[in-house]
Amino acid sequence: MYGELMSTQERLIETTRELLWERGYVGTSPKAILQRAGVGQGSMYHHFTGKQDLALAAIRRTGEEMRAVVDRLLGTGGSAYERVEAYLLRERDVMRGCPVGRLTMDPDVIASEELRAPVDETIAHVRTRLAEVVQEGVDSGEFAPHLVPHDIASAIVATVQGGYVLARASGDTGTFDAGARGLLALLAPSPASAPSTD
C-alpha cells in the first residue's frame, strides 16, 4: 500500500490518519494501525509512546493539510464571493465526511486537552480565514454592510459540517451540494448592489 521509500514513522502516521477518518479515535486500535501499516509492534513504540502520541501526530498532520488547502483556496485572486464559493464547492469526499470534524464526535478526543487542541486550532483557523474574506467583501461593498464576518464564517463552517451529516444520513451527496448552493444564494450580491457598467 505504501511505497518502499516511505519511512516506518510516516507509514504509521498516514495509516493512523486514514483509520481516524474511517473509524474515529475510539475505533482505531493499535493492532489495526500495525496491521494496515504492515509494521511490527516494536516499530510503533520505537517512534511513539503509544496510541495517543501517534494519534496526536496524525491529527496535527491532518490539521496542517486542511489549513493549507483553506489558505490556498481563500488566498487566490478573485472576489470575496468567488473565494467563498471555491471553498464551499471544492472537491471533497463527501460521504467520508470531514477528517477533522469527525474527531469532534469522539468522546476521547474531546476529553483530552492535548488531542482536542489541534482540532480546535484547525477549525478556528478556517473560521478566521473565512471571516477575513467576508470582511474584505463587506469593505469593498460586495457583501451587505450589516453582515458580521465572524458570524458568516461560522455559518459557512456549520453548512459544510452539517452538509456532511445530511449526505451521510441520506446516502446522497446532493444534499451537501444543496446546502452549499443555498448559502451561496444568500451571500450573492443583489443586482441592485452590483457596480454599474454605464
Side-chain angles (χ1 to χ4, degrees), residues 7-196:
S7 71
T8 299
Q9 185 175 13
E10 283 297 305
R11 286 206 306 275
L12 287 166
I13 292 172
E14 289 303 314
T15 297
T16 303
R17 291 178 65 201
E18 292 169 9
L19 288 169
L20 287 172
W21 195 358
E22 291 171 16
R23 307 177 184 182
Y25 183 82
V26 175
T28 298
S29 67
K31 181 179 179 182
I33 295 169
L34 296 173
Q35 285 180 340
R36 186 174 293 190
V39 302
Q41 186 172 353
S43 298
M44 177 176 171
Y45 292 100
H46 173 71
H47 295 288
F48 304 96
T49 59
K51 173 184 169 180
Q52 180 164 324
D53 188 35
L54 175 52
L56 180 60
I59 294 168
R60 284 178 175 158
R61 176 80 56 84
T62 297
E64 288 165 5
E65 285 195 3
M66 181 174 286
R67 292 192 295 273
V69 168
V70 168
D71 289 343
R72 177 177 54 78
L73 289 168
L74 298 180
T76 56
S79 68
Y81 179 86
E82 288 168 342
R83 284 178 283 158
V84 170
E85 181 181 46
Y87 170 74
L88 281 168
L89 300 181
R90 77 176 179 86
E91 189 173 335
R92 293 174 168 88
D93 191 346
V94 173
M95 299 311 290
R96 286 186 78 186
C98 175
V100 173
R102 169 94 167 79
L103 296 169
T104 65
M105 296 181 284
D106 264 294
D108 286 8
V109 172
I110 297 305
S112 167
E113 189 173 329
E114 189 176 31
L115 292 176
R116 191 176 68 247
V119 175
D120 289 343
E121 289 164 10
T122 300
I123 294 171
H125 180 83
V126 173
R127 289 177 63 214
T128 298
R129 291 292 290 116
L130 284 165
E132 290 169 353
V133 172
V134 174
Q135 184 66 64
E136 289 177 31
V138 170
D139 292 345
S140 68
E142 184 182 350
F143 293 146
H146 68 272
L147 293 184
V148 179
H150 282 282
D151 290 354
I152 300 302
S154 293
I156 294 169
V157 172
T159 298
V160 169
Q161 295 302 321
Y164 286 126
V165 172
L166 290 174
R168 287 168 66 94
S170 66
D172 179 11
T173 60
T175 55
F176 181 100
D177 299 334
R181 289 194 307 270
L183 182 57
L184 287 169
L186 292 173
L187 287 175
S190 66
S193 64
S196 173

